[in-house]
Amino acid sequence: MAEEIIDLRHFRSRQLDPLWNEQAREWRRDLRWDYASTLTLVRQYVESRLLSGYVLTGNGREPLGYGFFIYDSGKGIIGDLYIRPEMRTEARSNRLLEAMLETLQSTPGLRRIEAQIMPYQPAELELVFRAAGFAAHRRKFMVQPLEAAPADSPVQGLAPWSGEAMDAAAQLIVEAYTGSVDAVINDHYRTRAGAVRFLHNLVRFPGCGFFDTGASWMAMGTDRLRGLILCSRVMPDVTHITQLCVWPGARRQGLGWQLLLQARVALCRSGCQAWSLTVSAENSAALRLYERFGFDTLREFDAYVWER
Ligand SMILES: CC(C)(COP(=O)(O)OP(=O)(O)OC[C@H]1O[C@@H](n2cnc3c(N)ncnc32)[C@H](O)[C@@H]1OP(=O)(O)O)[C@@H](O)C(=O)NCCC(=O)NCCS
């Protein structure tokens, strides 16, 4: 029986469980990331038949891989693409991806599509994305082990993250990323409403791990929020930096460094073993800061963007 591409909504979550179990194992091994919490959400959406996507099936409709996407006010976001390791070929990945892109690009009113599929190496999906008119932006996944981190002292003058700072944080994000490649990749960074949405997703939903209050800090100036670091736990002993930004008027004075330092002090005290982040290769200021701070690149991947 030939392999088929079937609408995800024809499947119950238990049919996809073996696939997801393998995926969670791979994320844990390769990225030190417990993807199971994200998959819990995905499972719920699949069960409610609320998720758009496709399953690639082999003999007897056995799922070999799957991909899903979401619609977010005029934008499509590719949420995942996964093929079981022993079945993983470029042709199978491309087939699933093509099916998703075809559906998204033929959706009336859809003006933009974003995709960041971290486990795929750069160039692996490039032919399909390029043929569909996407631009690629190289990103780096960086990690710093914390077992041997220096025993730094806490930084004075920073405040722990508070939900009351949500609006100020959104404003800071918009100003910090104006004109940057990250605002090209992620259009939530371009408007205050988008940045609030981005922050809500981080703080309230476990899509990117569980918000790590202890490792999230703010630099309050007399008149405005000057800097921010936000983190989420992606494993019981591993955290991911989901946001680091400094107001343009306060840069190159060591504030980014101090925010990293304060978060690291808190993480070491809580027994965290490692932390990670993603950064655009073009973002030389951030890359230099992370490298000096002791992060190493573990892998690279591409972020893809399409505008109608
Ligand atoms: C990246 C960003 C957070 C850096 O903030 P910053 O406050 O300017 O950073 P710092 O002043 O701490 O560091 C800047 C420089 O000082 C160095 N530095 C600062 N404190 C230091 C210290 N105590 N010891 C050694 N070096 C230090 C850094 O390595 C860096 O080197 P450079 O001067 O050659 O560029 C800021 O540019 C920003 O907000 N950019 C937009 C948002 C963004 O891109 N965020 C990262 C997304 S992944």
Side-chain angles (χ1 to χ4, degrees), residues 20-87:
W20 287 330
N21 291 339
E22 281 186 273
Q23 188 179 16
R25 252 197 312 276
E26 273 191 62
W27 273 71
R28 221 175 294 125
R29 185 195 62 208
D30 298 343
L31 299 169
R32 296 188 76 167
W33 193 300
D34 179 10
Y35 201 53
S37 57
T38 306
L39 289 175
T40 304
L41 275 187
V42 174
R43 191 176 277 121
Q44 283 166 9
Y45 282 112
V46 166
E47 206 48 35
S48 325
R49 302 214 153 81
L50 286 172
L51 210 54
S52 307
Y54 294 100
V55 177
L56 175 72
T57 60
N59 275 341
R61 282 184 56 148
E62 172 213 358
L64 307 180
Y66 92 117
F68 76 82
F69 48 91
I70 53 172
Y71 293 101
D72 178 10
S73 40
K75 180 165 82 171
I77 302 170
I78 302 215
D80 208 353
L81 172 62
Y82 181 76
I83 312 268
R84 291 176 65 173
E86 70 276 17
M87 292 292 163

Coordinates of all heavy atoms in Angstrom, one line a residue, residues 20-87:
W20 N 4.8 10.4 19.1 CA 5.1 11.5 20.1 C 6.1 11.0 21.1 O 7.0 11.8 21.6 CB 3.8 12.0 20.7 CG 3.0 12.8 19.8 CD1 3.4 13.6 18.8 CD2 1.6 12.9 19.9 NE1 2.4 14.2 18.2 CE2 1.2 13.8 18.8 CE3 0.6 12.4 20.7 CZ2 -0.1 14.2 18.6 CZ3 -0.7 12.7 20.4 CH2 -1.1 13.6 19.4
N21 N 6.0 9.7 21.5 CA 7.0 9.2 22.5 C 8.4 9.2 22.0 O 9.3 9.6 22.6 CB 6.6 7.8 22.9 CG 5.3 7.8 23.7 OD1 4.9 8.8 24.3 ND2 4.7 6.6 23.8
E22 N 8.5 8.8 20.7 CA 9.8 8.9 20.1 C 10.3 10.3 19.9 O 11.5 10.6 20.2 CB 9.8 8.3 18.7 CG 9.8 6.8 18.7 CD 9.9 6.2 17.3 OE1 8.9 6.0 16.7 OE2 11.0 5.9 16.9
Q23 N 9.4 11.2 19.6 CA 9.8 12.6 19.4 C 10.3 13.2 20.8 O 11.3 13.9 20.8 CB 8.6 13.4 18.9 CG 8.9 14.8 18.5 CD 7.7 15.6 18.0 OE1 6.6 15.1 18.1 NE2 8.0 16.7 17.3
A24 N 9.6 12.9 21.8 CA 9.9 13.4 23.1 C 11.3 12.9 23.5 O 12.2 13.6 24.1 CB 8.9 13.0 24.2
R25 N 11.6 11.6 23.2 CA 12.9 11.0 23.5 C 14.0 11.8 22.8 O 15.1 12.1 23.3 CB 12.9 9.6 23.1 CG 12.9 8.6 24.3 CD 13.3 7.2 23.9 NE 12.7 6.6 22.7 CZ 11.5 6.0 22.7 NH1 10.8 5.9 23.9 NH2 11.0 5.6 21.6
E26 N 13.7 12.1 21.5 CA 14.8 12.8 20.7 C 15.0 14.2 21.2 O 16.2 14.6 21.3 CB 14.3 12.9 19.2 CG 14.7 11.7 18.4 CD 14.4 11.9 16.9 OE1 15.1 12.8 16.3 OE2 13.6 11.2 16.4
W27 N 14.0 14.9 21.6 CA 14.2 16.3 22.1 C 15.0 16.3 23.4 O 15.8 17.1 23.6 CB 12.8 16.9 22.3 CG 12.2 17.6 21.1 CD1 11.8 17.0 20.0 CD2 12.1 19.0 20.9 NE1 11.3 17.9 19.1 CE2 11.5 19.2 19.6 CE3 12.4 20.2 21.6 CZ2 11.3 20.4 19.1 CZ3 12.2 21.4 21.1 CH2 11.6 21.5 19.8
R28 N 14.7 15.3 24.2 CA 15.4 15.2 25.5 C 16.9 14.9 25.3 O 17.8 15.5 25.8 CB 14.8 14.0 26.4 CG 14.6 14.4 27.8 CD 13.9 13.3 28.6 NE 12.5 13.2 28.2 CZ 12.0 12.0 27.8 NH1 12.7 10.9 27.8 NH2 10.7 12.0 27.5
R29 N 17.1 14.0 24.3 CA 18.5 13.6 24.1 C 19.3 14.7 23.3 O 20.4 15.0 23.7 CB 18.5 12.3 23.2 CG 19.9 11.7 22.9 CD 19.8 10.7 21.8 NE 19.4 11.3 20.6 CZ 18.7 10.7 19.6 NH1 18.4 9.5 19.7 NH2 18.4 11.4 18.5
D30 N 18.7 15.3 22.3 CA 19.5 16.2 21.5 C 19.4 17.6 21.9 O 20.4 18.4 21.7 CB 18.9 16.2 20.0 CG 19.1 14.8 19.4 OD1 19.9 14.0 19.9 OD2 18.4 14.5 18.4
L31 N 18.3 18.1 22.6 CA 18.2 19.5 22.9 C 18.1 19.7 24.4 O 17.9 20.8 24.8 CB 17.0 20.1 22.2 CG 17.0 20.0 20.7 CD1 15.7 20.4 20.1 CD2 18.1 21.0 20.1
R32 N 18.1 18.6 25.2 CA 17.9 18.7 26.6 C 16.6 19.5 26.9 O 16.6 20.5 27.6 CB 19.1 19.4 27.3 CG 20.4 18.6 27.2 CD 21.5 19.2 28.1 NE 21.3 18.9 29.5 CZ 22.3 19.1 30.4 NH1 23.5 19.5 30.0 NH2 22.1 18.8 31.6
W33 N 15.6 19.0 26.3 CA 14.3 19.7 26.3 C 13.2 18.7 26.5 O 13.1 17.7 25.8 CB 14.1 20.4 25.0 CG 13.0 21.4 24.9 CD1 11.7 21.2 25.2 CD2 13.1 22.8 24.6 NE1 11.0 22.4 25.0 CE2 11.8 23.4 24.6 CE3 14.2 23.6 24.2 CZ2 11.6 24.7 24.3 CZ3 14.0 25.0 24.0 CH2 12.7 25.5 24.0
D34 N 12.4 18.9 27.6 CA 11.3 17.9 27.8 C 10.1 18.4 26.9 O 9.3 19.3 27.4 CB 10.9 17.9 29.3 CG 9.7 17.0 29.5 OD1 9.3 16.2 28.6 OD2 9.2 17.0 30.6
Y35 N 9.9 17.8 25.8 CA 8.9 18.2 24.8 C 7.5 17.7 25.2 O 6.5 18.0 24.6 CB 9.3 17.7 23.4 CG 8.7 18.4 22.3 CD1 8.7 19.8 22.2 CD2 8.0 17.7 21.3 CE1 8.1 20.5 21.1 CE2 7.4 18.4 20.2 CZ 7.5 19.8 20.1 OH 6.9 20.4 19.1
A36 N 7.5 16.8 26.3 CA 6.3 16.2 26.6 C 5.2 17.2 27.1 O 4.0 17.0 26.8 CB 6.6 15.2 27.8
S37 N 5.6 18.3 27.7 CA 4.6 19.3 28.1 C 3.9 19.9 26.9 O 2.7 20.2 26.9 CB 5.2 20.3 29.1 OG 6.2 21.0 28.4
T38 N 4.7 20.2 25.9 CA 4.2 20.8 24.7 C 3.2 19.7 24.0 O 2.1 20.0 23.6 CB 5.3 21.1 23.7 OG1 6.2 21.9 24.3 CG2 4.8 21.8 22.4
L39 N 3.7 18.5 24.0 CA 2.9 17.4 23.4 C 1.6 17.2 24.1 O 0.6 16.7 23.5 CB 3.7 16.1 23.3 CG 4.8 16.2 22.3 CD1 5.7 14.9 22.3 CD2 4.3 16.4 20.9
T40 N 1.6 17.4 25.4 CA 0.3 17.3 26.2 C -0.7 18.3 25.6 O -1.9 17.9 25.4 CB 0.5 17.7 27.6 OG1 1.6 16.8 28.1 CG2 -0.7 17.5 28.5
L41 N -0.3 19.5 25.3 CA -1.2 20.5 24.6 C -1.6 20.0 23.2 O -2.8 20.0 22.9 CB -0.5 21.8 24.5 CG -0.5 22.8 25.6 CD1 0.1 24.1 25.1 CD2 -1.9 23.1 26.1
V42 N -0.6 19.5 22.5 CA -0.9 19.1 21.1 C -1.9 17.9 21.1 O -2.9 17.9 20.4 CB 0.4 18.6 20.4 CG1 0.1 18.0 19.0 CG2 1.4 19.8 20.3
R43 N -1.7 17.0 22.1 CA -2.6 15.8 22.2 C -4.0 16.3 22.5 O -5.0 15.8 21.8 CB -2.1 15.0 23.4 CG -2.7 13.6 23.5 CD -2.1 12.8 24.6 NE -0.9 12.1 24.2 CZ 0.3 12.3 24.7 NH1 0.5 13.1 25.7 NH2 1.3 11.6 24.3
Q44 N -4.2 17.3 23.4 CA -5.5 17.8 23.6 C -6.2 18.4 22.4 O -7.4 18.1 22.1 CB -5.5 18.9 24.7 CG -5.3 18.3 26.1 CD -4.9 19.4 27.1 OE1 -4.9 20.6 26.8 NE2 -4.5 19.0 28.3
Y45 N -5.4 19.1 21.7 CA -6.0 19.8 20.5 C -6.3 18.7 19.4 O -7.4 18.8 18.7 CB -5.0 20.8 19.9 CG -5.0 22.1 20.6 CD1 -3.9 22.5 21.4 CD2 -6.2 22.9 20.6 CE1 -4.0 23.7 22.1 CE2 -6.2 24.1 21.3 CZ -5.1 24.5 22.0 OH -5.1 25.7 22.7
V46 N -5.5 17.7 19.3 CA -5.8 16.6 18.3 C -7.0 15.9 18.7 O -7.9 15.7 17.9 CB -4.6 15.7 18.2 CG1 -5.0 14.4 17.4 CG2 -3.4 16.3 17.5
E47 N -7.2 15.6 20.0 CA -8.3 14.9 20.5 C -9.6 15.7 20.2 O -10.7 15.2 19.9 CB -8.1 14.7 22.0 CG -8.8 13.5 22.5 CD -8.7 12.2 21.7 OE1 -7.7 11.9 21.1 OE2 -9.7 11.5 21.7
S48 N -9.5 17.1 20.3 CA -10.7 17.9 20.1 C -10.9 18.2 18.6 O -11.7 19.0 18.2 CB -10.6 19.2 20.8 OG -9.9 19.1 22.0
R49 N -10.0 17.7 17.8 CA -10.0 17.9 16.3 C -9.9 19.4 16.0 O -10.5 19.9 15.1 CB -11.3 17.3 15.7 CG -11.4 15.8 16.0 CD -12.1 15.1 14.8 NE -11.6 13.7 14.8 CZ -12.1 12.7 15.6 NH1 -13.0 13.0 16.5 NH2 -11.7 11.5 15.4
L50 N -9.1 20.1 16.8 CA -9.0 21.5 16.6 C -7.7 21.9 15.8 O -7.5 23.1 15.5 CB -8.9 22.3 17.9 CG -10.3 22.4 18.7 CD1 -10.1 22.9 20.1 CD2 -11.2 23.2 17.9
L51 N -6.8 20.9 15.6 CA -5.5 21.2 15.0 C -5.5 20.9 13.5 O -5.9 19.8 13.1 CB -4.5 20.4 15.8 CG -3.1 21.0 15.9 CD1 -3.1 22.4 16.5 CD2 -2.2 20.0 16.7
S52 N -5.0 21.8 12.7 CA -4.9 21.5 11.3 C -3.5 20.9 11.0 O -2.5 21.3 11.6 CB -4.9 22.8 10.5 OG -6.1 23.5 10.8
G53 N -3.4 20.0 10.1 CA -2.2 19.3 9.8 C -2.3 18.1 9.0 O -3.5 17.7 8.6
Y54 N -1.2 17.3 8.9 CA -1.3 16.1 8.1 C -0.5 15.0 8.8 O 0.5 15.3 9.5 CB -0.7 16.3 6.7 CG -1.6 17.3 5.9 CD1 -1.3 18.6 5.7 CD2 -2.8 16.8 5.3 CE1 -2.1 19.5 5.0 CE2 -3.6 17.6 4.6 CZ -3.3 19.0 4.5 OH -4.1 19.8 3.8
V55 N -0.9 13.8 8.5 CA -0.1 12.6 8.9 C 0.3 11.8 7.7 O -0.5 11.7 6.8 CB -1.0 11.7 9.8 CG1 -0.3 10.4 10.2 CG2 -1.5 12.5 11.1
L56 N 1.6 11.5 7.7 CA 2.1 10.6 6.6 C 2.0 9.2 7.1 O 2.5 8.8 8.2 CB 3.6 10.9 6.4 CG 4.3 10.0 5.4 CD1 3.8 10.3 3.9 CD2 5.8 10.2 5.4
T57 N 1.3 8.3 6.4 CA 1.0 7.0 6.8 C 1.7 5.9 5.9 O 1.8 6.2 4.7 CB -0.5 6.6 6.9 OG1 -1.0 6.8 5.6 CG2 -1.2 7.5 7.8
G58 N 2.0 4.8 6.5 CA 2.6 3.7 5.7 C 1.6 2.6 5.7 O 0.4 2.8 5.6
N59 N 2.1 1.4 5.8 CA 1.2 0.2 5.7 C 0.1 0.2 6.8 O 0.4 0.5 7.9 CB 2.1 -1.1 6.0 CG 2.7 -1.5 4.7 OD1 2.3 -1.2 3.7 ND2 3.8 -2.3 4.9
G60 N -1.1 -0.1 6.4 CA -2.2 -0.1 7.3 C -2.4 1.1 8.0 O -2.8 1.1 9.2
R61 N -2.2 2.2 7.4 CA -2.4 3.6 8.0 C -1.5 3.8 9.3 O -1.9 4.6 10.1 CB -3.9 3.8 8.3 CG -4.6 4.2 7.0 CD -6.0 4.5 7.1 NE -6.2 5.6 8.1 CZ -7.2 6.5 8.0 NH1 -8.0 6.4 7.1 NH2 -7.3 7.4 8.9
E62 N -0.4 3.1 9.3 CA 0.5 3.4 10.5 C 1.1 4.7 10.3 O 1.8 5.0 9.3 CB 1.5 2.2 10.5 CG 2.6 2.4 11.5 CD 3.9 1.8 11.1 OE1 4.0 1.3 10.0 OE2 4.9 2.0 11.8
P63 N 1.0 5.6 11.4 CA 1.6 7.0 11.2 C 3.2 6.9 11.2 O 3.8 6.3 12.1 CB 1.2 7.7 12.4 CG 0.0 7.0 12.9 CD 0.2 5.5 12.6
L64 N 3.8 7.5 10.1 CA 5.2 7.5 10.0 C 5.7 8.9 10.4 O 6.9 9.1 10.8 CB 5.7 7.2 8.6 CG 5.1 6.0 7.9 CD1 5.7 5.9 6.5 CD2 5.6 4.8 8.7
G65 N 4.9 9.9 10.3 CA 5.3 11.3 10.6 C 4.0 12.1 10.6 O 3.0 11.7 10.2
Y66 N 4.2 13.4 11.1 CA 3.1 14.3 11.1 C 3.6 15.7 11.2 O 4.8 16.0 11.4 CB 2.2 14.0 12.3 CG 2.5 14.8 13.5 CD1 1.6 15.7 14.1 CD2 3.7 14.7 14.2 CE1 1.8 16.5 15.2 CE2 4.0 15.4 15.3 CZ 3.1 16.3 15.8 OH 3.4 17.1 16.9
G67 N 2.7 16.6 10.9 CA 3.0 18.0 11.0 C 1.7 18.8 11.2 O 0.7 18.3 10.9
F68 N 1.9 19.9 12.0 CA 0.6 20.7 12.2 C 1.0 22.2 12.1 O 2.1 22.6 12.2 CB 0.0 20.4 13.6 CG 0.7 21.0 14.8 CD1 0.5 22.3 15.2 CD2 1.6 20.2 15.5 CE1 1.1 22.8 16.3 CE2 2.2 20.7 16.6 CZ 2.0 22.0 17.0
F69 N -0.1 22.9 11.9 CA 0.1 24.4 11.8 C -1.1 25.0 12.5 O -2.2 24.4 12.7 CB 0.2 24.9 10.4 CG -0.8 24.3 9.4 CD1 -2.0 25.0 9.2 CD2 -0.6 23.1 8.8 CE1 -3.0 24.5 8.3 CE2 -1.5 22.6 7.9 CZ -2.7 23.3 7.7
I70 N -0.9 26.3 12.9 CA -2.0 27.0 13.5 C -2.3 28.3 12.8 O -1.4 28.9 12.2 CB -1.8 27.3 15.1 CG1 -0.4 28.0 15.3 CG2 -1.9 26.0 15.9 CD1 -0.2 28.4 16.7
Y71 N -3.5 28.8 12.9 CA -3.8 30.1 12.4 C -3.9 31.1 13.5 O -4.5 30.9 14.5 CB -5.2 30.1 11.7 CG -5.2 29.2 10.5 CD1 -5.7 27.9 10.5 CD2 -4.7 29.6 9.2 CE1 -5.8 27.1 9.4 CE2 -4.8 28.8 8.1 CZ -5.3 27.6 8.2 OH -5.3 26.8 7.1
D72 N -3.2 32.3 13.3 CA -3.2 33.3 14.3 C -3.4 34.7 13.7 O -2.5 35.3 13.2 CB -1.8 33.2 15.0 CG -1.6 34.3 16.1 OD1 -2.6 34.9 16.4 OD2 -0.5 34.5 16.6
S73 N -4.7 35.1 13.7 CA -5.1 36.3 13.0 C -4.3 36.7 11.8 O -3.4 37.6 11.8 CB -5.1 37.5 14.0 OG -4.0 37.5 14.9
G74 N -4.6 36.0 10.7 CA -4.0 36.4 9.4 C -2.7 35.8 9.2 O -2.1 35.9 8.1
K75 N -2.2 35.1 10.2 CA -0.8 34.5 10.1 C -0.9 33.0 10.3 O -1.7 32.5 11.1 CB 0.0 35.1 11.2 CG 1.5 34.6 11.2 CD 2.3 35.5 12.1 CE 2.2 35.2 13.5 NZ 3.2 35.9 14.3
G76 N -0.1 32.2 9.5 CA 0.0 30.8 9.8 C 1.3 30.5 10.4 O 2.3 31.1 10.0
I77 N 1.3 29.6 11.4 CA 2.6 29.2 12.0 C 2.7 27.7 12.0 O 1.8 27.0 12.4 CB 2.6 29.7 13.5 CG1 2.4 31.2 13.6 CG2 3.9 29.3 14.2 CD1 2.2 31.7 15.0
I78 N 3.8 27.2 11.4 CA 4.0 25.8 11.3 C 4.5 25.4 12.7 O 5.6 25.9 13.2 CB 5.1 25.4 10.3 CG1 4.5 25.9 8.9 CG2 5.4 23.9 10.3 CD1 4.8 25.1 7.7
G79 N 3.8 24.6 13.4 CA 4.1 24.2 14.8 C 5.0 23.1 14.9 O 5.8 23.0 15.9
D80 N 5.0 22.1 14.0 CA 5.8 20.9 14.1 C 5.9 20.2 12.8 O 5.0 20.3 11.9 CB 5.2 20.0 15.2 CG 6.3 19.2 15.8 OD1 7.5 19.2 15.4 OD2 6.0 18.5 16.8
L81 N 7.0 19.4 12.6 CA 7.1 18.5 11.5 C 8.0 17.4 12.1 O 9.1 17.7 12.5 CB 7.8 19.2 10.3 CG 8.2 18.3 9.2 CD1 7.0 17.6 8.5 CD2 8.9 19.1 8.1
Y82 N 7.5 16.2 12.0 CA 8.3 15.1 12.6 C 8.1 13.8 11.9 O 7.0 13.4 11.6 CB 7.9 14.9 14.1 CG 8.7 13.8 14.8 CD1 10.0 14.0 15.2 CD2 8.1 12.6 15.0 CE1 10.8 13.0 15.8 CE2 8.9 11.5 15.6 CZ 10.2 11.8 16.0 OH 10.9 10.8 16.5
I83 N 9.2 13.1 11.6 CA 9.1 11.8 11.0 C 9.9 10.8 11.9 O 11.0 11.2 12.4 CB 9.8 11.8 9.6 CG1 9.4 13.0 8.7 CG2 9.6 10.4 8.9 CD1 8.2 12.7 7.8
R84 N 9.4 9.6 12.1 CA 10.0 8.7 12.9 C 11.5 8.4 12.4 O 11.7 8.3 11.2 CB 9.3 7.3 12.9 CG 8.0 7.4 13.6 CD 7.2 6.2 13.5 NE 7.9 5.1 14.2 CZ 7.5 3.9 14.4 NH1 6.3 3.6 14.0 NH2 8.1 3.0 15.1
P85 N 12.4 8.3 13.3 CA 13.9 8.3 12.9 C 14.2 7.3 11.8 O 14.8 7.6 10.8 CB 14.6 8.0 14.2 CG 13.7 8.2 15.3 CD 12.3 8.2 14.8
E86 N 13.6 6.0 12.0 CA 14.0 5.0 11.0 C 13.3 5.2 9.6 O 13.7 4.6 8.6 CB 13.8 3.6 11.5 CG 12.3 3.2 11.7 CD 11.7 3.7 13.0 OE1 12.3 4.6 13.6 OE2 10.6 3.2 13.4
M87 N 12.4 6.1 9.6 CA 11.6 6.4 8.3 C 12.0 7.7 7.7 O 11.5 8.2 6.7 CB 10.1 6.4 8.6 CG 9.5 5.1 9.0 SD 9.6 4.1 7.6 CE 9.4 2.5 8.3

